Amino acid sequence: MEIVWQTPANPPEAHDYIFRNGKRYVRPYYFEFISHVKNRWAGKTVVDLFSEEFKGRPYQYYVSAVKCGRLQVDGEMVHANYVLQRSQKISHFLHRHEPPVLADTVEILQDENDVLTVCKPASVPVHPCGQYRKNTVVGILQAEHGHAPLFPVHRLDRLVSGLLIFAKNAEKAENFRQQIEAGLIKKEYIARVVGTFPEGEQIVDANVNYNAREGRSTVEVCDGTGKSIEGKKACTKFERIATDGKHSIVLCKPVTGRTHQIRVHLQFMGYPIANDALYLTKDVAPRSGKRKAKEMDASSLDESLPSDLLKNGDDEVRTAEEFEFAIDSMCTNCPNLAPKGYDEDEEGLWLHCICYTGPDWSYKCPYPSWAILI
């Protein structure tokens, strides 16, 4: 089979998606990641750089990737001890598996000459980020409606549903940016929280500190001990709309815009969002610890496993032809390596090739919509 390498220049297309059991999957595809050597990367070997900066794959993978030409510098094959220099181009050729999202439609609410307004479904990122490229609002709108380019005026967390506004050109995007900075555009959210939320306006004015490594935020307040507060100033106003005694519907008005601000402020008050797996309790294992354990699993992968075979839950052998793509022997996701950075009971098995087209695949997504932007 001839490998066709995609780059960011290749737009998502409608046939890239597979719909199964209420979820939207992306057919695994070959992709060239392109980056340039930053100042802090210069002087490192290509293998050391990738193993330190991109820990989702084991060290030995990068050694093998250099040897077979999956990692190249300035378009040329190099050896594993090659020392990088500033501004050099690095290409990483890999078989890409994107996580699934809910199959809800990205509904277009209003299509104007220079503005597009849509309803973003929960679980879908706004734009390419991390392990998502085609399974994004921007990618879906381009593949299914031909809208490109699009400039997000604002963002919503991946798990949040709600109103999303895009500018169709850079000039309109800049106009929106100026209005947001001037306070002429404000956002409001509705959330369902645990417990009977108090009546009247409630204001939380507490710093939010986001830990990118752990992927979560914490609230920091002055405790009188003189300990310095590292988080950024954050303020949110809340107002109860209704309650049934067990849960409450709350109007949320962020005065500032910090990462996970509403979610962590509600947790701080003692009324976390009802189905927010990350902030429902404070007893969540650090993501870094989970990642380390999974990296150890990856390093012990049995390399003798035939790359052209898959097994389902009943140990029935299935050939790659029964699936709608080929198996890549260099891919750490083909066929049976657990995902990096996700809980097994959350998005668990999306990296297993069988989940894309397997006949018996079923999985309940734990992330229904928890907030709506008004």
Side-chain angles (χ1 to χ4, degrees):
M1 182 191 73
E2 180 184 358
I3 293 178
V4 178
W5 296 101
Q6 297 185 31
T7 71
N10 296 102
E13 299 182 30
H15 62 75
D16 292 334
Y17 301 98
I18 299 171
F19 295 88
R20 286 289 173 90
N21 301 315
K23 283 178 285 297
R24 178 193 294 265
Y25 297 92
V26 174
R27 301 174 190 273
Y29 55 97
Y30 290 94
F31 190 75
E32 178 187 4
F33 277 99
I34 300 173
S35 59
H36 291 82
V37 179
K38 305 175 184 179
N39 289 340
R40 64 184 178 87
W41 291 358
K44 295 183 178 181
T45 69
V46 62
V47 171
D48 286 344
L49 167 64
F50 272 81
S51 62
E52 293 172 7
E53 296 287 337
F54 308 101
K55 298 181 179 181
R57 292 177 173 81
Y59 181 90
Q60 190 57 42
Y61 164 81
Y62 294 116
V63 174
S64 299
V66 171
K67 289 181 179 179
C68 74
R70 287 290 182 90
L71 269 175
Q72 296 183 8
V73 179
D74 289 334
E76 302 288 340
M77 292 182 64
V78 296
H79 54 80
N81 294 322
Y82 181 86
V83 177
L84 296 167
Q85 300 177 30
R86 179 182 173 184
S87 299
Q88 285 186 302
K89 173 188 171 184
I90 307 176
S91 295
H92 185 195
F93 300 91
L94 50 76
H95 193 222
R96 192 166 191 186
H97 295 235
E98 294 193 27
V101 299
L102 295 178
D104 296 340
T105 302
V106 179
E107 182 181 359
I108 295 178
L109 303 178
Q110 191 164 351
D111 189 353
E112 305 173 67
N113 289 333
D114 50 6
V115 178
L116 182 70
T117 306
V118 305
C119 183
K120 172 194 169 316
S123 82
V124 186
V126 173
H127 51 68
C129 57
Q131 301 184 76
Y132 298 87
R133 176 173 167 257
K134 298 182 180 183
N135 248 354
T136 61
V137 175
V138 170
I140 293 169
L141 288 172
Q142 184 170 11
E144 298 183 350
H145 301 281
H147 285 294
L150 291 175
F151 301 82
V153 172
H154 61 97
R155 294 183 299 174
L156 294 174
D157 284 352
R158 179 173 63 88
L159 304 182
V160 180
S161 64
L163 189 70
L164 198 59
I165 301 173
F166 292 95
K168 292 185 177 180
N169 54 68
E171 182 180 0
K172 190 63 177 178
E174 175 61 19
N175 180 258
F176 272 118
R177 186 191 67 80
Q178 293 176 2
Q179 292 184 56
I180 292 173
E181 288 189 353
L184 301 178
I185 297 177
K186 299 182 183 297
K187 292 189 287 185
E188 295 183 353
Y189 297 79
I190 293 175
R192 181 170 63 92
V193 304
V194 175
T196 302
F197 198 84
E199 293 182 323
E201 185 179 65
Q202 308 293 317
I203 300 177
V204 177
D205 192 354
N207 288 29
V208 170
N209 188 11
Y210 178 68
N211 186 325
R213 180 176 177 81
E214 301 298 341
R216 58 183 289 146
S217 294
T218 54
V219 167
E220 295 182 343
V221 294
C222 182
D223 57 6
T225 62
K227 181 181 178 181
S228 61
I229 298 178
E230 298 179 358
K232 296 180 179 179
K233 290 185 176 298
C235 180
T236 314
K237 297 179 180 180
F238 300 100
E239 186 175 345
R240 190 179 84 187
I241 297 175
T243 183
D244 63 1
K246 294 182 178 179
H247 296 93
S248 300
I249 305 299
V250 178
L251 176 64
C252 314
K253 301 178 181 180
V255 179
T256 55
R258 309 305 181 195
T259 302
H260 298 179
Q261 175 179 314
I262 293 175
R263 299 163 68 183
V264 74
H265 272 179
L266 284 169
Q267 181 199 51
F268 174 70
M269 291 184 67
Y271 303 95
I273 290 171
N275 60 345
D276 188 350
L278 189 58
Y279 295 106
L280 191 58
T281 69
K282 296 183 179 180
D283 301 323
V284 179
R287 177 184 294 180
S288 57
K290 298 174 185 176
R291 183 185 298 118
K292 183 176 181 180
K294 289 173 182 174
E295 286 172 4
M296 293 177 65
D297 291 340
S299 64
S300 62
L301 177 66
D302 183 0
E303 297 179 356
S304 66
L305 183 68
S307 61
D308 61 343
L309 296 179
L310 289 173
K311 289 186 177 182
N312 67 7
D314 299 322
D315 289 334
E316 176 186 351
V317 177
R318 298 181 180 275
T319 63
E321 281 118 12
E322 293 185 58
F323 300 87
E324 301 179 34
F325 55 91
I327 305 303
D328 185 338
S329 60
M330 270 295 296
C331 177
T332 53
N333 301 332
C334 286
N336 64 347
L337 189 61
K340 305 295 181 298
Y342 291 87
D343 291 337
E344 295 292 349
D345 59 347
E346 291 180 5
E347 306 193 19
L349 301 177
W350 60 263
L351 288 182
H352 291 247
C353 293
I354 197 170
C355 78
Y356 289 90
T357 53
D360 300 318
W361 173 255
S362 62
Y363 185 71
K364 182 179 180 182
C365 179
Y367 295 129
S369 170
W370 61 263
I372 301 174
L373 177 62
I374 299 177

